[in-house]
Amino acid sequence: MSMKYAAAYLMAVLAGKDSPSAADIQKILESVEAEYDASIAEKLVSELEGKTIHEVIAAGKEKLKGFGGGGGGGVVVAAVGGGGGGGGGAAA
């Protein structure tokens, strides 16, 4: 599934639709002249049927916690000798 279907679904939710339909997704995608495949939209809608998007996002966040990730801090780069410009010297 392309992210455009999920994005269109979320846009419909933001527009006030609690349970967007495949037709809502189609209307959004066609408004930006994107290709539309009814079977993909219908599958997305059927998988999210009976769920609020907030519940789906919260469940996804919980699953992502198991991935760990980053948190190691930034890389420190030290300047190494050599005559790079840097100013600070008196003009001759």
Side-chain angles (χ1 to χ4, degrees):
M1 173 189 345
S2 171
M3 286 297 291
K4 67 185 176 185
Y5 292 91
Y9 187 93
L10 290 170
M11 289 175 74
V13 170
L14 288 173
K17 296 267 186 176
D18 289 331
S19 297
S21 66
D24 296 321
I25 294 171
Q26 180 179 11
K27 184 176 179 181
I28 291 168
L29 292 179
E30 289 180 349
S31 75
V32 295
E33 299 179 6
E35 291 182 20
Y36 173 77
D37 183 338
S39 64
I40 295 173
E42 290 165 3
K43 180 179 179 187
L44 175 65
V45 169
S46 70
E47 288 182 10
L48 294 173
E49 191 174 348
K51 302 175 186 174
T52 68
I53 199 63
H54 305 305
E55 293 170 347
V56 174
I57 291 172
K61 280 185 174 181
E62 285 299 314
K63 290 179 183 178
L64 287 175
K65 285 182 181 179
F67 280 93
V75 175
V76 178
V77 179
V80 179

